[in-house]
Amino acid sequence: MTPAIDLLRLKDKHAGAPPADGRPVIIAVTASNRRLVHDRCRRAERSGVQPGMPLAQALAVLRAPRVVERVPRRERALLRALAQRMLRFSPVVAPEPPDALLVDIAGCEHLFGGEAPMLARVRAQLARWGLTARVSVAPSPALAWALARFAHDAHLACPNGQAAAALAPLPLAALRLEPKAHQALAELRVERVEQLVALGRTGVARRFGLQVLLRLDQALGLAHHWTEAIVPERPLRCAVDFEGPTTRTETVQAAARAMLCDLCAQLLARGLGASELTMSFARCDLEPVELGLTLTRPSAAPAHLWRLLRDRVASLHMGFGVEGVRARAFRTAPLRTRQGTLEQGDRANGTTDEPTCEPTRNQRWHELLDALATRLGPARVCTLERHDSHDPARCVRRRSVLDAPDAHPAPHPAPHATPHPAPHATPHLASCPARQHRPSQLFEPALPAQVIAATPDGPIHVLRWRDHAGPVLTCVGPERIEGEWWRVATPHGLRAADGQSGHDYFKIQDDRGVWLWVSRALDDGRWSVRGAWA
Amino acid sequence: MNPYTDSTARPDLEALLGSTAASFQAFEGLAASHSNTTHAHTYRTSHAHTFPRPTPGSVHEWLLDTNHTLTSPTSPTTPTTPTTPTTPTTSNNWLAPITMLAWLAAGTPSSTSSTRPSSARPSSTRPRRVLWIGRRVWPYLPALPRALHAPILVDPPDLRQRIWAIDAALRCPGVDAVVADASGLDLTATRRAQLAAAAGRTIGLLARPISELRALSAACSRWRLTPTTSTSTCSPTTTTTDCAPGWHAELLRCKGVRPTQGAHRWRVRIDHETGDVRVADDPGDRPVEAQGQARGRTAG
C-alpha cells in the first residue's frame, strides 16, 4: 500500500482566531535592525505583500493591518498541539517545522470513505479551527510537501504511480536543495524539476553532488524520507473500578495509593510533575467525592503525595460503599530532576514508594510547605511580598504559598554560580526608610490608645493602651506619613476614607521599656498603637 | 564538641557533660572566642562581646519580660519572693521578642564578633528559609534583615495544630530556622520539638510569654529579655533618632551547664545606623528587681 501524506501549511497561526474584523494580518519579524514581513494572510497577499518585504512598505500598501510579532516558540507549540489533534485522522503524524505536518494516511482513508472525502474532512476541520491550510496527498512525504507549497490548486492530490508527472512542473525550490546546489542550478537556468531530470543522473551527481539526487529520489518515493512521528499524549489519569462497592478503608486506601503510583509513573515517563491533582472516589448511590490537592512545586513523588492525601482518604465518607478510584493530574509542569548516583539508579524507577533518590533540601522545603498548606489550609500559610505603597500598613502583602509558587527563597545556588544579589531587591525597596525606623511587629488591626500630651503636636507624656497605663520615657517624632488619597475620592474632594487618612507616627518608650509605634490620625485625631520594637 | 569547651574556665563542665556532650551543643558563640581565663568573673566579661549563636539541632526559648517598670527601681523584691509584677501581663497580650529572634534566625554574625572568620558561614548570603509559626511572632517585613526577606508565615488555628506545625517544620532538613509562638506548650510538646530539631538539624526559636517563665520545658536553653532604658540623651522631648531599643539578654538556664548566679548576661541593642542587633561591649546594669529574680530563679 502506498503511503499517502497530507501536508498542511499554517498561515494565520499567530492570529489565533480568524480576523473577524476584516483587517489583514501581517506577521512581522525583526532581522538585523529591520522589521520585515515574515508571513501574511490571504488578504494581504492579494494586496501584494510578500514575505521578506520591509514592514514599512507593507504598512503603506494595506489599510490598518494587524501586525503580530513572530514568536518561534509559540509556533512550535502550536504545531505540536495541532499534531496531537490530527491524530484523529491517522496514528502517524509528524510535525515538520516550521509550518508543516505530515500525516501518514495509508490504510486510514477507507475509514473516511476514500481519499477525496477524507481531504474534504481535513480541510473542513482545519477551517473550523480557524486555520488556513493547503492540504495535499502524494505517494511520498517530500512530494506532498512540495505539492502543498507549489502546485496549482487543481493538482493537490497526486494519485499513485504519477509522482514523476506531478513533480515535473514544480519549481526547483520544491526539492529543498542545499542553497549552494540550488544557486548553481539557478545559474544554469534550471528552474523546474523536469529540467533537472533532463540533465541526466550521472551528470547531476558529478556536478552538483549526491544530495540533489537524494532529494529527487525522496520526492519520487524511491529513497526514504525520515520523519519523526509524535507520541500520542494520553490524558494524565488512571482509574480502577472495584467489582462491587466496598466500605473497607484498607481497600480504598490501597487503591488510592496504587492510583497515585500509577499517575506518578505516567508523569515521570513524560518528565512532568503534577502541581494540581484530584482523586475522585465513585460512591454507590451517592455523588463522587473529589479530593483536590495543590502543590507549591510540581512533584511526581508518590510517597509525598500520599502523605498529603492519607489523612483525607482515611477520613473519607464512603456512604454505601466506594465503587472506584480515579486520579487525575490537572496542571503539570516540567520536573527539574537531578542525576542520582550509580547505586541509586537501580531503584530510580519511580513506581515504588521509595523516593528515587535522596530528596534535596529544596525538595524537602517544598514538601513541608505542601504539608502545611494541605493540613492548615492554603490561606494560613503565606509569603510576604512588597507592595508599592508608602503606607506602612499596606506596603507588605500576604499571599498564599500556593498562589506564589516562585516566591520562595531561591534554591541553593549551583557551586559554579556567582553569589547572586538578593532576589527581592525590588527597586522601591531602596526608597523605604531604614529598617531600624520600622517596628519589628505590626499590630493588625492597630490597637486603640489614649494619650496625654502637653501640646497638641508635642511629645507624648502618658500612654494608655491595652491594660497598661504609664508615663512615657522617650518620645521621638512625629513622623508624618500621608494616606493614599488616590484610593478614595469622596464627593467633597480628595479626602481619604475612614482609616486611610494620614498619620503622625511617634516612636515612644513606655515605662516598661517597651518601644512602641504610636500614631495619631490626621483627620479625627484618634490615637492608636501600630506596632512594637519587640 | 562541647559548647563550653574551655575546660580551664569551667573545670566542672567536663564531668557534668560526660559522653552526652554532643547532644548538649546548643551554642557556638561561647566555645569559639574565649581564651585562657581562670575566673568566673573574667569568663563572663570576656563573653560580653560575642553573643552565643544557636547551633542547628537545638531549640531555645525566649521570653520578653515587660512586667516591670523601669522608673521604680525600689520595688520590694527579694530572692525568695521572686515575682511581684507591677502590671501583670495577662496571657493574651504579651510581646514576642521578634527583633532578637529574627537576628538569631538570620544567622549572620554580629558586628562586634569580628574575630570569627567569615569563611565559617559561607551560606550567609543566600536567603534563609525561616518559618514564622503563629500570628504572635509574625514579623514586619521592612524591619527584617535582608537574609530573611522571603519569610513563610504560618497561622495555625489552635494549639494542637500549632504543635504539629512546629514539629513538622523543625523536622524538615530544608528549613534553616523556625520561629514559633510557643505559648501553652507543655513539657511533652517541647520535648517533641527538641527531638524534631535534632532530627532535622534545624534551629528552633520559641517565644513564650513571661507568665510561663517557670514552665517545664525540654528546650536547650531559656533566655529572658528585659528592656533597658535608652541612652541618657533621650528624654521625653527628644526628637532625634538616636535612641534605639535595647535589651538585657539573660541566659536563665541551659542544658548541660550548671546554673550559676548571673553568669550569662549580655546587653544588646538595635544599631541605629545599620538596624542590626549589636551586642554592647559591657554587660551593663539591669533593673534591680530583675537581678533579684534572676538570682532566685537560676538557683532552682
Side-chain angles (χ1 to χ4, degrees):
Chain A
M1 195 168 294
T2 318
I5 313 292
D6 284 2
L7 188 137
L8 320 169
R9 189 150 179 229
L10 312 176
K11 273 286 176 58
D12 293 345
K13 51 183 167 278
H14 288 280
D21 52 356
R23 288 163 62 189
V25 180
I26 294 176
I27 300 163
V29 64
T30 305
S32 66
N33 227 4
R34 292 170 66 210
R35 298 200 71 199
L36 303 175
V37 175
H38 175 69
D39 214 336
R40 74 287 189 221
C41 72
R42 284 280 173 86
R43 252 191 84 188
E45 191 179 356
R46 279 198 295 274
S47 304
V49 176
Q50 295 297 326
M53 181 186 269
L55 186 64
Q57 196 179 342
L59 292 180
V61 169
L62 299 170
R63 185 195 305 156
R66 215 164 88 204
V67 180
V68 189
E69 199 63 33
R70 181 181 181 222
V71 188
R73 187 170 44 85
R74 215 176 127 202
E75 264 176 35
R76 283 195 298 275
L78 190 118
L79 198 64
R80 266 201 309 277
L82 189 63
Q84 290 289 345
R85 288 189 172 192
M86 292 306 286
L87 285 172
R88 68 187 62 190
F89 294 109
S90 159
V92 183
V93 178
E96 187 100 341
D99 58 357
L101 275 184
L102 299 174
V103 185
D104 188 349
I105 62 164
C108 302
E109 64 269 38
H110 70 275
L111 298 173
F112 300 89
E115 244 177 45
M118 186 176 182
L119 280 197
R121 267 187 82 165
V122 169
R123 282 202 193 93
Q125 187 67 58
L126 289 169
R128 212 170 303 146
W129 288 332
L131 293 165
T132 316
R134 276 169 70 88
V135 187
S136 65
V137 174
S140 75
L143 182 56
W145 189 94
L147 285 178
R149 264 142 225 274
F150 301 104
H152 192 266
D153 281 353
H155 302 106
L156 279 178
C158 167
N160 281 345
Q162 298 183 16
L167 187 64
L170 296 185
L172 206 57
L175 289 182
R176 283 189 274 180
L177 299 175
E178 301 274 334
K180 201 174 150 194
H182 191 273
Q183 200 180 349
L185 284 163
E187 283 170 7
L188 294 180
R189 293 294 176 93
V190 176
E191 285 164 355
R192 291 200 308 281
V193 179
E194 55 192 347
Q195 293 170 324
L196 177 67
V197 174
L199 289 178
R201 291 182 67 90
T202 10
V204 167
R206 205 168 48 235
R207 292 166 64 186
F208 307 107
L210 277 173
Q211 193 251 358
V212 179
L213 285 188
L214 177 67
R215 293 280 185 233
L216 198 61
D217 288 347
Q218 280 177 345
L220 294 172
L222 302 174
H224 206 85
H225 179 89
W226 294 100
T227 55
E228 195 175 339
I230 55 160
V231 181
E233 250 177 38
R234 284 184 308 155
L236 285 162
R237 65 172 71 137
C238 41
V240 64
D241 287 322
F242 302 141
E243 287 187 358
T246 177
T247 51
R248 281 177 56 91
T249 317
E250 297 85 357
T251 313
V252 175
Q253 287 194 17
R257 193 162 187 187
M259 286 307 100
L260 266 188
C261 289
D262 280 3
L263 190 69
C264 288
Q266 285 186 26
L267 286 165
L268 278 177
R270 297 185 204 177
L272 294 175
S275 48
E276 214 175 316
L277 58 94
T278 58
M279 294 216 75
S280 156
F281 297 86
R283 296 184 298 176
C284 185
D285 293 338
L286 284 172
E287 73 277 10
V289 181
E290 296 259 343
L291 297 183
L293 193 61
T294 314
L295 304 175
T296 56
R297 188 182 128 120
S299 165
H304 169 54
L305 297 177
W306 177 244
R307 220 175 293 133
L308 297 177
L309 279 170
R310 185 177 50 203
D311 288 348
R312 298 167 68 189
V313 172
S315 61
L316 191 72
H317 177 58
M318 288 192 279
F320 303 108
V322 174
E323 290 179 314
V325 181
R326 53 208 70 219
R328 183 167 177 206
F330 271 110
R331 214 171 45 169
T332 56
L335 207 58
R336 275 177 292 174
T337 49
R338 198 171 54 108
Q339 186 159 11
T341 56
L342 192 60
E343 62 266 23
Q344 282 168 343
D346 292 339
R347 2 183 221 113
N349 49 10
T351 51
T352 61
D353 287 349
E354 298 301 317
T356 53
C357 54
E358 192 64 27
T360 60
R361 291 187 69 207
N362 199 23
Q363 277 170 322
R364 291 289 188 83
W365 166 255
H366 285 278
E367 286 176 10
L368 171 69
L369 295 186
D370 289 341
L372 289 170
T374 307
R375 177 150 170 176
L376 304 177
R380 290 187 179 271
V381 185
C382 44
T383 59
L384 290 184
E385 61 180 20
R386 284 201 171 260
H387 177 57
D388 198 359
S389 167
H390 64 270
D391 191 340
R394 280 176 34 86
C395 69
V396 176
R397 277 184 178 174
R398 284 200 299 274
R399 188 170 185 172
S400 169
V401 284
L402 298 183
D403 296 339
D406 295 322
H408 317 305
H412 299 271
H416 59 270
T418 53
H420 53 85
H424 296 267
T426 45
H428 49 268
L429 190 67
S431 63
C432 285
R435 62 190 173 96
Q436 63 269 27
H437 300 311
R438 289 290 172 259
S440 61
Q441 187 176 22
L442 208 65
F443 298 142
E444 287 175 288
L447 302 166
Q450 290 162 353
V451 151
I452 297 175
T455 54
D457 287 330
I460 303 168
H461 288 279
V462 177
L463 174 76
R464 181 188 190 90
W465 71 295
R466 273 181 177 167
D467 53 357
H468 178 79
V472 170
L473 300 186
T474 316
C475 175
V476 182
E479 175 190 4
R480 176 164 296 189
I481 301 176
E482 286 289 347
E484 297 181 333
W485 54 265
W486 57 87
R487 287 179 64 202
V488 175
T490 59
H492 310 294
L494 294 172
R495 184 182 164 276
D498 187 40
Q500 294 173 3
S501 72
H503 288 265
D504 274 341
Y505 290 85
F506 294 84
K507 181 179 174 182
I508 66 153
Q509 187 184 29
D510 72 359
D511 60 337
R512 298 174 300 179
V514 182
W515 285 83
L516 299 168
W517 213 31
V518 180
S519 79
R520 185 191 58 185
L522 288 180
D523 50 356
D524 54 2
R526 277 177 297 106
W527 286 89
S528 47
V529 179
R530 307 293 293 247
W533 279 264
Chain B
M1 291 304 289
N2 184 329
Y4 305 98
T5 44
D6 195 347
S7 56
T8 56
R10 319 282 279 159
D12 52 337
L13 270 181
E14 291 295 331
L16 181 71
L17 297 176
S19 59
T20 57
S23 66
F24 288 146
Q25 183 179 10
F27 300 109
E28 58 185 36
L30 287 179
S33 65
H34 56 232
S35 54
N36 291 327
T37 52
T38 53
H39 196 263
H41 177 70
T42 45
Y43 171 80
R44 182 182 69 204
T45 51
S46 70
H47 290 106
H49 296 274
T50 311
F51 201 82
R53 319 283 312 194
T55 55
S58 58
V59 167
H60 308 273
E61 292 182 349
W62 286 78
L63 299 87
L64 181 62
D65 190 353
T66 58
N67 276 350
H68 306 281
T69 56
L70 300 178
T71 49
S72 59
T74 56
S75 70
T77 314
T78 61
T80 49
T81 56
T83 309
T84 314
T86 52
T87 51
T89 307
T90 59
S91 63
N92 198 23
N93 51 9
W94 56 281
L95 292 172
I98 291 178
T99 307
M100 275 306 282
L101 298 184
W103 179 61
L104 294 173
T108 47
S110 70
S111 54
T112 50
S113 66
S114 56
T115 53
R116 295 182 56 78
S118 60
S119 60
R121 294 179 176 276
S123 61
S124 60
T125 52
R126 75 169 170 83
R128 303 265 293 176
R129 294 195 175 113
V130 178
L131 279 106
W132 307 76
I133 299 174
R135 271 180 185 269
R136 182 76 62 177
V137 296
W138 280 9
Y140 184 48
L141 188 64
L144 282 181
R146 179 57 66 96
L148 300 183
H149 268 197
I152 297 288
L153 310 185
V154 186
D155 178 24
D158 54 15
L159 178 64
R160 197 167 140 259
Q161 301 284 2
R162 184 146 47 89
I163 293 173
W164 172 81
I166 293 171
D167 180 82
L170 284 172
R171 204 172 286 282
C172 174
V175 171
D176 288 317
V178 176
V179 183
D181 168 13
S183 59
L185 260 67
D186 57 358
L187 179 64
T188 318
T190 51
R191 169 92 64 201
R192 190 173 152 189
Q194 172 60 48
L195 290 173
R201 303 295 299 158
T202 49
I203 299 172
L205 300 166
L206 306 181
R208 304 190 75 154
I210 194 66
S211 57
E212 297 178 10
L213 189 65
R214 295 172 146 258
L216 291 176
S217 164
C220 274
S221 71
R222 175 171 289 175
W223 294 76
R224 181 168 68 174
L225 285 173
T226 318
T228 59
T229 49
S230 305
T231 52
S232 58
T233 58
C234 290
S235 69
T237 54
T238 307
T239 52
T240 63
T241 57
D242 196 29
C243 318
W247 301 272
H248 281 290
E250 190 180 357
L251 181 58
L252 294 185
R253 64 183 195 202
C254 179
K255 249 188 204 173
V257 175
R258 203 170 64 173
T260 42
Q261 179 179 326
H264 309 299
R265 289 199 285 119
W266 289 264
R267 205 177 73 173
V268 294
R269 64 190 294 249
I270 297 179
D271 190 284
H272 60 81
E273 284 173 1
T274 62
D276 215 343
V277 172
R278 177 183 287 272
V279 183
D281 291 342
D282 57 317
D285 293 326
R286 288 178 307 129
V288 174
E289 71 272 30
Q291 274 184 359
Q293 283 161 23
R295 205 173 303 131
R297 191 164 308 109
T298 49

